[in-house]
Amino acid sequence: MADEEPVEGEESSGKKKRGGLIIGLVLALAGGGGGFAFTSGMIGGGGDSHGKVAHASLGDDLAFVPVEPMTVSIGDPSERRHLRFRAELEVDSDVRSDVEKLM
C-alpha cells in the first residue's frame, strides 16, 4: 500500500487547481492596482474632482458656527474613558442663521 503510485487523473487535477489559483491571484492584483490607479487620478480622470466641487461652491464671505461641546464615553463603562469634542462649522454667511436654527 505504501508503494502505490498516484493515478494520472489525480495528478493533473492538482496542477489545474494550482494554475487556476495563480491566475485568480494575478487577476485580483491587477484589478486592485487598476482600481487604485483610476481612483487616485493616475488614469481615467478619477480622484480629486469630488473635493474640488465642494471648495468651489464656498464663497469668499464665510462664517463659523460653533457646535456645542460634547463628551462621548469610550469602551467599557468601568474604564471611565471619555472623549471631549468641540468643533466649528464653516458655512457661507448667507446661511449662517439657518444653520444656527438647525443646531
Side-chain angles (χ1 to χ4, degrees):
M1 294 204 172
D3 295 332
E4 291 182 16
E5 294 183 17
V7 181
E8 288 182 30
E10 292 177 4
E11 184 178 322
S12 64
S13 67
K15 288 183 180 179
K16 287 181 182 178
K17 288 181 183 177
R18 201 174 317 138
L21 181 64
I22 291 172
I23 290 172
L25 182 62
V26 169
L27 289 174
L29 289 173
F36 171 76
F38 180 75
T39 58
S40 67
M42 295 169 76
I43 59 171
D48 291 338
S49 64
H50 200 52
K52 289 180 183 176
V53 172
H55 285 281
S57 65
L58 294 175
D60 293 333
D61 192 22
L62 299 175
F64 294 93
V65 178
V67 176
E68 289 286 325
M70 61 181 80
T71 304
V72 180
S73 299
I74 300 175
D76 293 330
S78 62
E79 293 180 9
R80 297 183 183 171
R81 293 175 54 194
H82 302 286
L83 171 69
R84 293 183 187 169
F85 180 77
R86 181 181 305 155
E88 291 186 5
L89 300 176
E90 181 179 358
V91 297
D92 285 331
S93 60
D94 300 340
V95 295
R96 179 181 180 158
S97 61
D98 294 335
V99 172
E100 288 176 344
K101 288 178 187 176
L102 292 174
M103 298 291 289

